Structure formats: structure tokens, C-alpha cells
């Protein structure tokens, strides 16, 4: 096909214009809560490597957590001390500094209390906030603070379809014949349903057991409702969870989706690189919140 010189020049000009538009577009302002934790920090650091696309702000709970991140080389200006269980504080920050996306990586963290059961097993508690305080009230505070149209991306957990999941038992005790505390997956599920019902665009990722191993080295498997289809593995590296959350900010196909995430064993399958097509195997399926229990 013959292409005239003027037509070729027009194509070149169009290409330059498109390139300029991409290079000068305003980066998305993104908050990552739980930025002092392992998964939240992994996502926060990833976003900081793409400053042409994102302006990330990391929320941490304490000044000590902020100082730890600063000592590791991160800019103090990109980190804010905001306790997500303090609703007015979260709202005040977002009112003064609106964002395009909000990534929730906060979660109650169980730890041994020092008490042992009669069987000799350690009793776990939540020294920095119970699941009800962090995974329900804290997440609700974060959701409520987001402005209309803010894309909320949540790192949750698999296991929500099974009320008897062992994670629900951590921190749970009996007082006057009534169970109190614990039930972290039920509180997470309550927060997820609250987000969906809020009308905000959302992406909810339910990772399997989290591995502290490098990401980008395994084939990722998505599913819904705790299905084990696709791999016998129930695990996934934190770095891969962070990557999927980042990709949710890039790809419109991740909006209004709730799904599980696992990874095949290293060396099994083909390393996932096509994140735009990752959710295609779900054929439109989302988490069924009629399954399991919600507090």
C-alpha cells in the first residue's frame, strides 16, 4: 500500500500526541493502608516504583511504624500516621486530600498471649485491635471516608465460606456461656459486603495462605468461594498479591470483582504475566456472599 508523505507525517504527529498525553497525564493518587505490614508494604513499595502512574501515600498506625519505613529509605512525605479505627481521622485526611483509589491492607494480627490451654496449646489474642475493631469497624471507617467514585481495593482472605475455619477460632473466648472475640473471616466478610453495598467501585482479593517468597515466579490461579479447582496449592506469595492489587488499579476489568487468589508450586505451569486476562477464567463469576456467615 502506498503511503503519501503527508499521511505519514500525520501518523507520526498523532503518535507523538498520544505519547505526550500518556506522559503528561496526572498520576493516580492512591492510599495504601497497613503500609507498615508485610503485604501492605509490598504494595506500597511497588507503587512507588511507578511514579509516572501513581502517587502513593502509605497509612501506618504509629509514629514508630513510620520511622521504620523512613529508616528503610522511604520518603517521610509519602507516609501518614492514621489509625484506621479512628473514623474522624481517616475522614479528615481524605477530605483534605482526596484520592483516586484506596487500597485496604489492614487486618487484625493474632499473637500468642502467653496463656496455654489445658491441652498445652497457646492461646492467641489480638494485641493491636480485635477483628471487630480492625477488620469491621476499621474497614468501614475507610470505606465511609472514600469519596464517590473512589476505587477501593481490598486484601482479604480465603476461607470465608467456612464458619468453622480455624482462623475464626483465634482470639475467640467464652464469657458467661457466650462466644466473644475472634471470627476474623466473618468480620472481613461483613466489611466486604458493606463495601459492595456502598456503590463504590471495588476489587476484593481473597489470597490463600501468604508466603514470604519472591513474586513473579509462579502461575497464579483465580477462583471463587474457596474452590480448589486449578491447583492443589492453597498458598500465594505476598508479592504476587501486591502485584494483583496493583494491576487492579490499571485494568478496568478488575472493577466490581471479588475473587480468590492462589499460586501453583514454583516450576508448575507458566509464570503469569498477562494480568489483563487473569480474571478471564472466572467467566464473570464473583464471590457468592450467601455462602458462609457474616457477623
Amino acid at each position: 500500500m502506498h503511503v503519501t508523505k503527508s499521511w505519514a507525517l500525520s501518523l507520526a504527529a498523532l503518535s507523538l500526541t498520544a505519547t505526550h498525553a500518556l506522559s503528561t497525564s496526572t498520576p493516580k493518587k492512591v492510599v495504601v493502608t497497613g503500609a507498615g505490614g508485610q503485604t501492605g508494604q509490598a504494595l506500597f513499595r511497588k507503587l512507588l516504583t511507578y511514579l509516572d502512574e501513581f502517587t502513593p501515600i502509605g497509612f501506618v498506625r504509629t509514629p514508630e511504624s513510620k520511622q521504620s519505613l523512613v529508616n528503610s529509605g522511604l520518603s517521610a512525605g509519602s507516609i501518614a500516621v492514621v489509625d484506621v479505627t479512628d473514623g474522624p481521622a481517616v475522614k479528615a485526611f481524605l477530605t483534605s486530600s482526596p484520592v483516586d483509589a484506596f487500597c485496604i491492607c489492614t487486618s487484625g494480627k493474632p499473637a500468642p498471649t502467653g496463656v496455654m490451654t489445658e491441652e498445652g496449646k497457646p492461646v492467641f489474642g489480638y494485641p493491636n485491635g480485635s477483628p471487630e475493631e480492625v477488620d469491621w469497624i476499621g474497614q468501614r471507617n475507610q470505606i465511609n471516608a472514600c469519596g464517590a467514585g473512589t476505587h477501593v481495593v481490598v486484601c482479604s482472605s480465603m476461607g470465608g465460606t467456612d464458619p468453622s475455619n480455624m482462623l475464626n477460632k483465634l482470639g475467640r473466648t467464652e464469657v458467661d456461656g457466650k462466644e466473644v472475640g475472634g471470627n476474623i473471616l466473618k468480620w472481613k466478610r461483613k466489611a466486604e459486603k458493606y463495601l459492595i453495598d456502598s456503590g463504590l467501585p471495588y476489587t476484593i482479593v481473597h489470597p490463600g495462605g501468604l508466603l514470604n517468597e519472591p513474586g513473579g515466579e509462579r502461575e497464579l490461579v483465580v477462583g471463587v468461594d474457596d474452590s480448589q479447582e486449578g491447583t492443589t496449592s492453597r498458598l500465594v506469595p505476598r508479592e504476587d498479591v501486591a502485584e494483583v492489587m496493583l494491576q487492579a488499579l490499571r485494568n478496568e476489568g478488575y472493577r466490581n470483582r471479588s475473587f480468590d487468589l492462589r499460586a501453583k508450586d514454583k516450576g508448575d505451569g507458566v509464570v503469569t504475566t498477562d494480568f489483563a486476562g487473569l480474571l478471564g477464567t472466572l467467566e464473570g463469576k464473583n464471590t457468592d456472599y450467601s455462602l458462609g456467615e457474616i457477623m
Side-chain angles (χ1 to χ4, degrees):
M1 179 180 70
H2 178 67
V3 179
T4 66
K5 183 177 181 181
S6 60
W7 178 244
L9 288 172
S10 296
L11 284 174
L14 181 62
S15 176
L16 285 172
T17 300
T19 301
H20 178 71
L22 287 171
S23 64
T24 59
S25 62
T26 303
K28 290 182 179 179
K29 193 170 183 179
V30 183
V31 161
V32 178
T33 63
Q38 296 182 82
T39 307
Q41 187 174 161
L43 174 58
F44 185 40
R45 289 181 181 276
K46 279 180 177 288
L47 292 170
L48 284 167
T49 65
Y50 297 102
L51 293 179
D52 57 327
E53 293 182 67
F54 307 107
T55 301
I57 304 150
F59 277 16
V60 294
R61 188 174 58 86
T62 66
E64 291 76 16
S65 290
K66 177 175 181 175
Q67 190 58 52
S68 178
L69 291 178
V70 171
N71 291 346
S72 74
L74 300 187
S75 168
S78 66
I79 307 163
V81 179
V82 182
D83 186 342
V84 299
T85 63
D86 183 347
V90 182
K91 184 67 174 178
F93 186 97
L94 293 187
T95 298
S96 64
S97 185
V99 298
D100 301 296
F102 196 96
C103 299
I104 299 177
C105 295
T106 50
S107 179
K109 186 175 181 180
T113 62
V115 176
M116 305 295 286
T117 66
E118 292 180 357
E119 295 80 19
K121 296 180 180 179
V123 174
F124 283 80
Y126 288 88
N128 296 316
S130 69
E132 180 179 5
E133 294 168 324
V134 179
D135 295 275
W136 163 233
I137 296 172
Q139 284 202 38
R140 185 184 64 189
N141 288 342
Q142 296 172 74
I143 294 162
N144 287 345
C146 290
T150 303
H151 183 193
V152 181
V153 182
V154 179
C155 178
S156 187
S157 175
M158 286 185 68
T161 64
D162 179 13
S164 64
N165 188 288
M166 63 164 289
L167 293 178
N168 284 325
K169 299 175 183 178
L170 298 177
R172 194 165 66 191
T173 58
E174 191 171 294
V175 177
D176 298 327
K178 181 181 179 182
E179 284 187 346
V180 296
N183 290 320
I184 189 168
L185 297 179
K186 296 181 183 181
W187 289 117
K188 285 180 181 292
R189 208 163 178 83
K190 184 179 181 73
E192 292 169 29
K193 191 65 169 59
Y194 185 83
L195 170 58
I196 293 168
D197 292 342
S198 75
L200 291 170
Y202 65 86
T203 305
I204 300 168
V205 184
H206 300 120
L210 295 166
L211 295 171
N212 293 320
E213 296 182 7
E217 298 181 351
R218 302 169 187 247
E219 180 175 335
L220 302 181
V221 178
V222 293
V224 294
D225 304 329
D226 297 325
S227 169
Q228 293 302 305
E229 187 177 348
T231 178
T232 57
S233 168
R234 297 172 180 263
L235 307 173
V236 60
R238 292 180 190 274
E239 289 283 344
D240 285 325
V241 177
E243 182 64 31
V244 168
M245 294 181 74
L246 184 151
Q247 293 295 334
L249 301 174
R250 287 175 168 165
N251 296 286
E252 287 291 319
Y254 283 70
R255 290 197 173 212
N256 300 330
R257 303 303 302 271
S258 177
F259 57 91
D260 303 340
L261 178 68
R262 295 171 295 140
K264 292 185 177 182
D265 293 334
K266 193 173 176 180
D268 179 15
V270 179
V271 174
T272 296
T273 56
D274 177 17
F275 288 95
L278 179 62
L279 303 190
T281 57
L282 296 179
E283 299 179 337
K285 293 192 295 290
N286 268 346
T287 298
D288 181 354
Y289 286 90
S290 70
L291 303 176
E293 292 180 5
I294 296 176
M295 295 298 294

